[in-house]
Amino acid sequence: MDRILQIAESYLVVSDKARDAAAVLISKFITRPDVKQKKMADFLDWTLSTLSKSSFQTMEGTVIMDGMLQALAQVFKHGTRESCLPYASIVLQCLDNCKLSESNHTLLRKLGVKLVQRLGLTFLKPRLAKWRYQRGCRSLSANLRLSSQDEEKQSPHILASENDEDYDVPEEVENVIEQLLVGLKDKDTVVRWSAAKGIGRMTGRLPKELADDVVGSVLDCFSFQETDNAWHGGCLALAELGRRGLLLPSRLTDVVPVILKALTYDEKRGACSVGSNVRDAACYVCWAFARAYEPEEMKPFVNKISSALVIVTVFDRDVNCRRAASAAFQENVGRQGTFPHGIDILTTADYFAVGNRSNCFLNISVNIADFAEYTQSMIDHLIKMKINHWDGIIRGLSTKALHNLTPQAPEYITTIVFPQLLPLAVCTDLHTRHGAILACAEITYALYKLAAVKNRPVTDYLDQKSLEGLKQIHQQLYDRQLYRGLGGELMRQSVCTLIKNLSLSKMPFQGDPIIGNWQWLINDSLKNLHLISSTSRQHIKEAAVSALATLCNEYYLNHQGEVDPVLQDELMMNYISELQNTEEMIRCGFSLALGSLPGFFLKGKLKLVLDGLKAVTHISPKYVSFAEARRDALKAIAKICQTVGVKSEASENDVICKENVSQIYETLLDCMNDYTTDSRGDVGAWVREAAMTGLMELTILLTRNHPELIEANVCKQIMCCLAQQSSEKIDRFRAHAGSIFLSLLYFDSPPVPHIPYREELEKIFPRSQFSILNWNAPSQAFPCITQLLALPAYRYHVLLGLAVSVGGLTESTVRYSTQSLFEYMKKIQNDIQAMDSFSETLIQVFEDNLLNDRVSVPLLKMLDQMLANGCFDIFTTEENHPFSLKLLSLCKEEIRKSKDIQKLRSGIAVFCGMIQFPGDVRKKVLFQLFLLLCHPFPIIRKTTASQVYEMVLTYSDIVDPAILDEVMTILSDTAWDTELHFVRGQRNYLCDLLQVPKPQLVSKIPTH
């Protein structure tokens, strides 16, 4: 007995899982009838003295206290009441002295709460309270089987508490319950959960009056002075009490309003909020109540609870709360059967459907709002709780939801909601102001759509006061200088959205000064884009541009269907002059603004606008990094082409015609060669992407209307540029180019004219593959695109793209592009004519991109791989083949005076590969390699020596067998990274051995 106890006690103070096992062992052992008489008192004495000596301030003390508390909790769980009761008061006293609630250690506080409730249960006799509420049959299947005769037997009844006066409640119980109530407000969920279970267990053994006092104390957790922790603990406790039948129906009138508040509890803290756990727990309460009470008891509260649960299901920010509410709603529909349209709502808003937040706000909410019981409460919730939410995404979704819900209750929206929103749109709180302005915009547009269905104006819904209120929003914000500072970013964005929606709603503001004020805001926002934070910049730019387009469409046309020439001149001159601004963002904004203008605004000014935008796309040394401006200018050009349309014989100031089409194509094709890079990477790719999209849109527009305007050489350039982009290394842009290439190839109404090698292309890319070919995957894209090397028109551009991919860094791109290239080379290996034309194109690519590191460095890597793979074996049969001589001179030129280690290493590898070409070229190659053996950079000398060593091993015929060993020894044993004068001697000795002329030192003549 002693030995077992001794071992168990020694493991109670260790820090691993053995401690938990020791606690269970002791509780089972010490509570045995034969052991407890002899050992229980001593063990408890040892435990309490150890507890009182330990402190939770130290790590060691925490571990010891943890073991003691676990042991005590297990003993009071497994021991009988008679054996534990004599010691309960002393243990409680000792526990009070430990002051565990002040500890920072969650586990200690949890064990403290657990032990306190076990002590409390020891003080009270184990009995079922006769006063508790009993629902009767709890099984769902049995519920469904109940016949009407059985219903009377199964009806709930509250048993009279006849023996209440027999209850003897010790004074320690009050202390226990007080500690549990404090535990409900703890900062950690596990402690609160343990306390809630304790409250439930204790209340079940108390007399009715005392139990009611406990419920009252739990309800005190829900005052607005309390923290979210107290609300969460209170919800857990109410759910426990409800589950156990200890919350009598008479108390529901107090409890339900509290739960409804908890379901939408959201307290702002700094930049975010707390309360998702409270809402989750409130859903749990609703779930528990559905199982606990008969439908008759819940009937008075059904409408409020169902509306609240629906609101959480569709409008909560957190997915776990939406799913909890959906589950609680489902439980209520199944158990209570009184929720209006329960089954219909459940099928719409099930566990999986509510997983997507946008779907909840924009689609599910509309389906549920079809049921009149829920419509008004949903709209009210959005106005009171969501349009002022701290999260901008929620505010945006809420206003869109209001737009979708407006058709369900237009009268309520116009008479009740709209008058509430207008003051909020100019209030002091930023988030409320932002949400309210967006809500006004969305609701107005929704009302306009409703009126348009009946061929009526929007003023049928909105009275003069509302129109004035909408008109005043901008002026009041301007007067209070609310467009400035950080809040100004949100205001600009929201008011631009308001302008757009009011214009779309055809508000009767023609000739009103407010139009000029709105125009000022749009212009000012575009002029100050560079001062706006990078996160908001894009949103404001898009909002201002779309507002401008709708404003011009609605308010700048006179009765003759023309624009005021003075206004047109002023706006055009202003916008075109801003295209040359020194700030990139201002160029972006005004480019897109010009692109968004309606056709009547561009009439007579088209040449001026296109020239201005063309200037933006031009790369100048000063503005080389303005890639975003060039991208947006190209987008604007493409948009303008769509807006003004095409006429073959017309003025170039009005439409796209034969005078200006070649200039537009030239601009777009020039931008296909934009490979600008900066600290953000290949920013030119954005420009190329916009250029590709523009080329496709313009070509399809011309093909549909005037295909004769597309020249053969232009079409060839387009297809070649797209083929080049389709073989490059960035997956996203390769996919974009590839899909456009196939779109033009297979455009059928009518077909695009002058596509080179159309029939061959249709064989390489069968029409059936059009939708399934994944250009993003190198394994699918490169085998197809390399086949274009066989078509002379495409060969140059595809080879240029492939060079960048084969010599790139991405493992998958390199592998599949190399594999595809080698497969093509294998096919033409023995065709001297095909090899000659291929090698000529390769040399041409090298020549055109000499000293252009973007192409030349990967090209050297590609050449190295091709030489190593024997792609040019057919040329090695002829001495001094022109290809080898030309390649050598280009490689020499490329690495001359270079300090780029990567380029030099690739150059060395190419020289070593070229040793396979016989004749004078071999001597010249060796001379270049021996030059590099004395390169100023030690790393290059070492690399050259090791590569030459491998080269001599591979091509043993280049060295006389008599001197082979000596050459290999010098190459391998010399320390090539030591002093240059020593290395030079070794190198010269090698030159003598191999009969290669020694490189001469050039003395630098000082310049006077």
Side-chain angles (χ1 to χ4, degrees):
M1 212 183 280
D2 288 337
R3 273 168 43 227
I4 293 174
L5 255 183
Q6 194 181 347
I7 289 172
E9 285 175 357
S10 68
Y11 275 101
L12 273 183
V13 294
V14 298
S15 58
D16 56 22
K17 289 298 283 180
R19 182 178 59 202
D20 306 1
V24 175
L25 166 62
I26 280 181
S27 67
K28 299 281 189 188
F29 183 66
I30 211 96
T31 52
R32 274 174 45 158
D34 53 340
V35 180
K36 69 182 175 189
Q37 292 170 350
K38 295 180 182 175
K39 296 292 177 189
M40 191 166 184
D42 292 345
F43 171 72
L44 289 176
D45 195 35
W46 172 76
T47 314
L48 296 180
S49 66
T50 310
L51 256 184
S52 55
K53 286 175 197 165
S54 305
S55 162
F56 53 70
Q57 306 288 358
T58 64
M59 199 64 221
E60 190 185 357
T62 305
V63 170
I64 293 169
M65 289 180 90
D66 189 307
M68 299 305 129
L69 290 168
Q70 279 203 56
L72 287 169
Q74 293 285 359
V75 166
F76 279 88
K77 179 179 182 179
H78 294 123
T80 58
R81 180 170 182 261
E82 292 72 33
S83 56
C84 293
L85 190 57
Y87 311 108
S89 294
I90 305 160
V91 175
L92 182 62
Q93 196 178 339
C94 176
L95 198 58
D96 287 347
N97 294 337
C98 286
K99 295 187 174 152
L100 289 176
S101 58
E102 294 170 17
S103 166
N104 283 328
H105 206 279
T106 308
L107 209 52
L108 287 186
R109 296 201 307 280
K110 183 200 167 188
L111 289 169
V113 167
K114 191 189 278 275
L115 180 52
V116 157
Q117 61 171 287
R118 298 262 161 86
L119 293 169
L121 293 171
T122 307
F123 290 126
L124 295 167
K125 288 179 186 172
R127 63 168 82 193
L128 271 178
K130 291 188 177 177
W131 53 266
R132 74 195 173 97
Y133 176 85
Q134 290 171 297
R135 180 172 177 177
C137 192
R138 292 289 179 98
S139 159
L140 195 57
S141 56
N143 257 355
L144 298 171
R145 282 201 305 270
L146 278 180
S147 62
S148 54
Q149 300 97 308
D150 296 337
E151 275 177 19
E152 283 178 35
K153 296 180 213 165
Q154 294 287 356
S155 65
H157 53 287
I158 298 173
L159 296 173
S161 48
E162 54 214 9
N163 298 335
D164 270 7
E165 62 275 11
D166 299 349
Y167 273 38
D168 179 25
V169 180
E171 57 189 32
E172 288 93 346
V173 169
E174 192 177 333
N175 176 9
V176 169
I177 286 178
E178 193 177 321
Q179 289 196 43
L180 291 175
L181 288 167
V182 170
L184 285 181
K185 302 175 186 180
D186 193 272
K187 64 180 179 181
D188 282 295
T189 305
V190 284
V191 182
R192 299 197 289 271
W193 184 223
S194 186
K197 287 191 285 190
I199 293 274
R201 288 171 184 147
M202 292 283 296
T203 310
R205 297 189 182 183
L206 290 173
K208 186 176 174 183
E209 288 75 21
L210 288 178
D212 198 53
D213 289 347
V214 173
V215 173
S217 302
V218 170
L219 288 173
D220 290 342
C221 290
F222 295 97
S223 79
F224 277 100
Q225 286 81 37
E226 292 289 359
T227 63
D228 57 307
N229 297 334
W231 279 70
H232 182 242
C235 284
L236 294 177
L238 287 178
E240 275 300 306
L241 293 169
R243 251 172 23 91
R244 294 166 179 272
L246 306 172
L247 197 61
L248 299 180
S250 58
R251 268 292 193 178
L252 285 176
T253 47
D254 302 326
V255 171
V256 171
V258 162
I259 296 307
L260 295 177
K261 281 182 192 168
L263 279 169
T264 55
Y265 183 90
D266 199 23
E267 283 291 301
K268 196 170 171 195
R269 291 267 173 89
C272 58
S273 70
V274 292
S276 64
N277 58 342
V278 177
R279 301 194 297 277
D280 192 45
C283 293
Y284 171 52
V285 177
C286 296
W287 178 89
F289 282 10
R291 301 166 70 90
Y293 298 102
E294 278 293 327
E296 285 305 310
E297 309 290 0
M298 295 295 284
K299 202 169 184 180
F301 313 105
V302 157
N303 282 344
K304 285 182 178 175
I305 292 177
S306 61
S307 293
L309 282 174
V310 159
I311 283 166
V312 181
T313 303
V314 288
F315 294 141
D316 202 281
R317 180 175 182 269
D318 297 276
V319 65
N320 57 319
C321 296
R322 294 198 298 275
R323 285 180 164 162
S326 174
F329 192 89
Q330 183 175 348
E331 194 69 23
N332 275 283
V333 170
R335 301 272 180 188
Q336 298 285 324
T338 50
F339 272 30
H341 310 285
I343 299 294
D344 297 329
I345 290 171
L346 270 185
T347 50
T348 311
D350 62 25
Y351 179 87
F352 297 103
V354 298
N356 184 320
R357 189 161 62 188
S358 299
N359 185 40
C360 287
F361 272 86
L362 306 181
N363 302 327
I364 297 175
S365 63
V366 181
N367 294 338
I368 294 175
D370 284 340
F371 308 119
E373 294 90 338
Y374 300 102
T375 316
Q376 204 169 306
S377 59
M378 287 166 78
I379 293 171
D380 287 344
H381 174 77
L382 288 171
I383 298 296
K384 287 188 183 114
M385 302 287 292
K386 286 292 184 284
I387 63 166
N388 56 2
H389 197 271
W390 61 270
D391 184 350
I393 295 166
I394 296 295
R395 295 199 295 276
L397 284 170
S398 305
T399 56
K400 286 178 183 145
L402 281 169
H403 175 279
N404 293 349
L405 295 178
T406 299
Q408 321 284 24
E411 283 74 25
Y412 181 70
I413 291 273
T414 47
T415 55
I416 308 293
V417 173
F418 217 77
Q420 286 175 23
L421 281 175
L422 289 170
L424 294 178
V426 288
C427 71
T428 51
D429 180 66
L430 173 64
H431 291 155
T432 307
R433 201 162 64 232
H434 177 240
I437 293 171
L438 289 175
C440 288
E442 293 291 350
I443 288 172
T444 307
Y445 189 39
L447 290 171
Y448 161 74
K449 285 185 189 169
L450 270 180
V453 171
K454 303 173 188 170
N455 284 327
R456 302 291 302 153
V458 70
T459 44
D460 278 16
Y461 285 108
L462 295 174
D463 56 15
Q464 194 57 39
K465 190 179 174 189
S466 298
L467 294 181
E468 280 302 315
L470 288 169
K471 211 190 286 185
Q472 287 300 313
I473 290 174
H474 163 74
Q475 199 54 50
Q476 289 198 39
L477 297 179
Y478 177 76
D479 293 343
R480 287 159 57 188
Q481 299 189 339
L482 292 174
Y483 288 127
R484 297 184 179 184
L486 283 173
E489 295 179 1
L490 283 177
M491 289 301 97
R492 285 174 186 276
Q493 194 183 325
S494 55
V495 177
C496 284
T497 307
L498 179 71
I499 295 169
K500 173 184 147 190
N501 282 15
L502 294 182
S503 303
L504 287 171
S505 306
K506 301 191 182 303
M507 285 288 170
F509 296 158
Q510 276 84 356
D512 196 291
I514 192 64
I515 304 301
N517 295 344
W518 285 349
Q519 183 66 58
W520 171 86
L521 176 68
I522 293 168
N523 295 352
D524 191 63
S525 297
L526 292 172
K527 275 179 189 163
N528 292 304
L529 276 174
H530 60 294
L531 302 175
I532 290 164
S533 66
S534 54
T535 45
S536 309
R537 201 174 279 159
Q538 188 64 23
H539 299 301
I540 292 177
K541 182 169 70 176
E542 287 167 6
V545 166
S546 51
L548 174 73
T550 50
L551 185 73
C552 293
N553 259 324
E554 183 57 33
Y555 298 113
Y556 287 163
L557 261 183
N558 59 23
H559 298 300
Q560 288 80 39
E562 292 174 352
V563 66
D564 176 8
V566 179
L567 180 74
Q568 184 190 22
D569 285 349
E570 185 189 336
L571 191 128
M572 282 295 187
M573 287 303 115
N574 179 13
Y575 281 23
I576 291 169
S577 65
E578 291 292 353
L579 292 179
Q580 291 307 309
N581 199 293
T582 53
E583 288 291 342
E584 182 182 19
M585 278 304 122
I586 295 178
R587 289 187 179 200
C588 290
F590 283 101
S591 295
L592 290 174
L594 284 167
S596 72
L597 290 173
F600 63 81
F601 229 96
L602 295 162
K603 204 172 180 186
K605 302 285 181 186
L606 184 60
K607 187 175 185 325
L608 208 60
V609 172
L610 288 176
D611 288 345
L613 290 170
K614 184 182 179 181
V616 179
T617 65
H618 179 66
I619 300 178
S620 61
K622 192 175 175 186
Y623 302 121
V624 71
S625 64
F626 282 17
E628 287 174 80
R630 295 196 288 278
R631 175 199 65 195
D632 288 350
L634 289 172
K635 285 182 179 175
I637 290 172
K639 186 95 189 311
I640 286 169
C641 293
Q642 299 292 331
T643 305
V644 297
V646 185
K647 275 187 191 165
S648 183
E649 303 293 334
S651 163
E652 62 179 330
N653 269 319
D654 295 339
V655 289
I656 305 298
C657 58
K658 63 182 174 189
E659 267 79 36
N660 58 13
V661 74
S662 56
Q663 178 206 334
I664 296 171
Y665 266 131
E666 185 190 332
T667 304
L668 292 167
L669 286 165
D670 282 350
C671 289
M672 290 291 281
N673 296 315
D674 189 333
Y675 285 93
T676 312
T677 53
D678 63 12
S679 57
R680 296 169 291 180
D682 181 5
V683 290
W686 303 334
V687 184
R688 300 197 299 279
E689 184 180 30
M692 288 187 268
T693 310
L695 284 168
M696 177 182 74
E697 289 173 358
L698 177 58
T699 306
I700 287 175
L701 179 71
L702 292 172
T703 305
R704 280 194 176 128
N705 301 295
H706 290 279
E708 72 277 4
L709 292 178
I710 302 175
E711 294 173 17
N713 71 322
V714 169
C715 191
K716 181 187 169 187
Q717 276 180 278
I718 294 170
M719 296 307 281
C720 287
C721 287
L722 288 171
Q724 180 188 328
Q725 296 300 319
S726 304
S727 58
E728 287 208 350
K729 61 183 178 181
I730 305 176
D731 291 353
R732 185 162 79 88
F733 301 111
R734 183 176 63 245
H736 189 64
S739 65
I740 290 176
F741 185 87
L742 294 188
S743 298
L744 293 179
L745 177 63
Y746 288 122
F747 185 72
D748 282 336
S749 49
V752 177
H754 313 304
I755 289 182
Y757 297 100
R758 182 189 287 274
E759 288 175 15
E760 288 85 343
L761 289 176
E762 286 181 358
K763 283 178 192 163
I764 294 169
F765 302 102
R767 196 176 278 259
S768 57
Q769 269 199 331
F770 180 40
S771 55
I772 56 170
L773 177 62
N774 180 8
W775 286 95
N776 265 313
S779 56
Q780 292 187 40
F782 285 110
C784 293
I785 206 74
T786 42
Q787 294 179 52
L788 268 60
L789 289 169
L791 310 175
Y794 296 103
R795 187 180 297 129
Y796 178 89
H797 287 85
V798 172
L799 201 48
L800 181 53
L802 274 177
V804 178
S805 297
V806 175
L809 295 172
T810 311
E811 192 266 338
S812 58
T813 308
V814 172
R815 178 163 26 125
Y816 292 110
S817 56
T818 309
Q819 210 170 295
S820 305
L821 178 63
F822 288 168
E823 276 171 23
Y824 171 74
M825 294 305 290
K826 203 181 285 178
K827 282 183 202 162
I828 63 164
Q829 194 74 61
N830 300 315
D831 182 345
I832 189 71
Q833 200 178 348
M835 283 299 294
D836 279 341
S837 58
F838 178 85
S839 60
E840 278 168 25
T841 311
L842 186 58
I843 292 295
Q844 192 60 51
V845 169
F846 202 164
E847 261 182 6
D848 294 348
N849 293 283
L850 204 60
L851 303 178
N852 171 9
D853 285 2
R854 182 189 71 81
V855 179
S856 61
V857 175
L859 182 62
L860 286 171
K861 287 183 185 174
M862 181 176 87
L863 282 166
D864 168 36
Q865 292 198 51
M866 292 177 82
L867 288 163
N869 210 53
C871 291
F872 304 111
D873 282 357
I874 197 164
F875 298 153
T876 59
T877 55
E878 183 186 330
E879 284 205 3
N880 298 329
H881 191 281
F883 170 71
S884 60
L885 291 168
K886 190 71 184 158
L887 184 58
L888 177 63
S889 71
L890 287 170
C891 287
K892 273 166 60 179
E893 189 58 34
E894 183 63 44
I895 67 167
R896 195 163 69 89
K897 294 186 179 175
S898 173
K899 291 183 179 176
D900 181 346
I901 301 287
Q902 197 186 359
K903 184 191 283 190
L904 288 165
R905 281 179 150 173
S906 302
I908 293 164
V910 174
F911 285 141
C912 289
M914 287 180 66
I915 209 76
Q916 60 191 284
F917 295 113
D920 293 344
V921 74
R922 186 172 288 174
K923 283 272 189 279
K924 289 178 180 174
V925 166
L926 282 171
F927 181 77
Q928 287 303 317
L929 288 168
F930 288 163
L931 261 179
L932 288 161
L933 275 177
C934 286
H935 193 276
F937 295 171
I939 186 73
I940 296 301
R941 301 202 289 274
K942 277 181 76 172
T943 304
T944 309
S946 77
Q947 296 256 29
V948 170
Y949 184 87
E950 287 171 23
M951 174 190 82
V952 173
L953 277 177
T954 311
Y955 306 103
S956 51
D957 60 321
I958 62 170
V959 179
D960 187 342
I963 56 167
L964 181 62
D965 286 350
E966 194 174 355
V967 169
M968 300 296 267
T969 307
I970 293 171
L971 285 169
S972 59
D973 292 358
T974 305
W976 291 101
D977 51 357
T978 53
E979 293 298 323
L980 254 178
H981 62 84
F982 166 72
V983 171
R984 198 171 283 120
Q986 297 292 87
R987 190 272 314 270
N988 289 346
Y989 182 52
L990 275 176
C991 290
D992 293 339
L993 283 173
L994 294 169
Q995 295 167 357
V996 174
K998 292 178 198 164
Q1000 298 299 314
L1001 270 176
V1002 181
S1003 59
K1004 289 184 182 172
I1005 302 163
T1007 51
H1008 296 293

